[in-house]
Amino acid sequence: MEENKTVNKSIWGTWWTAFRKWFYPAWLIYETVIRFYDYALGVYHYIILQEQIWGVKMAQPVALLASSLTFAICFFFLTVPASMALFRYFNTKDLASNSTEQKIKRFL
């Protein structure tokens, strides 16, 4: 109980506390956008290669629609909620009562 009363200082200094509530969600958005763009590009190329199934005129619109839907679904159902959860986690005023924060504080 006594070790939870003391708050460890971050190795990055006091300015990091205000900065991290925006940094981690922004970093998550950046990384997932890159990954989901790769997924969408893969879907696009797969459908274009299946040209004999869709036909020459339909392959391009179907590939664009499917790849756009892949990106949008991944982004809105995975990235946005996860970023909001990260922002809420790091936006709390007192993280000293959070046991997870105490365990990972020295790495942040």
Side-chain angles (χ1 to χ4, degrees):
M1 189 69 121
E2 290 297 321
E3 66 262 2
N4 286 337
K5 287 186 177 180
T6 61
V7 178
N8 295 333
K9 299 285 185 193
S10 176
I11 62 171
W12 300 105
T14 56
W15 64 273
W16 182 251
T17 305
F19 181 69
R20 70 180 176 179
K21 73 178 177 183
W22 295 103
F23 174 75
Y24 290 122
W27 174 75
L28 177 71
I29 288 171
Y30 169 75
E31 289 293 328
T32 54
V33 163
I34 298 295
R35 180 69 58 194
F36 296 151
Y37 177 75
D38 255 357
Y39 294 162
L41 202 57
V43 168
Y44 175 81
H45 288 302
Y46 176 77
I47 292 175
I48 292 297
L49 290 175
Q50 304 298 321
E51 191 175 276
Q52 68 272 12
I53 295 172
W54 298 100
V56 176
K57 291 184 179 184
M58 283 300 292
Q60 185 75 24
V62 169
L64 286 173
L65 179 66
S67 62
S68 300
L69 283 175
T70 300
F71 181 82
I73 289 170
C74 289
F75 183 76
F76 287 111
F77 286 105
L78 298 173
T79 304
V80 172
S83 295
M84 289 173 61
L86 271 176
F87 179 78
R88 285 184 157 215
Y89 176 76
F90 284 112
N91 199 27
T92 58
K93 298 293 182 206
D94 182 26
L95 290 175
S97 62
N98 191 337
S99 63
T100 307
E101 174 72 16
Q102 289 297 321
K103 290 176 186 173
I104 64 173
K105 181 103 175 192
R106 62 178 178 255
F107 301 115
L108 300 176

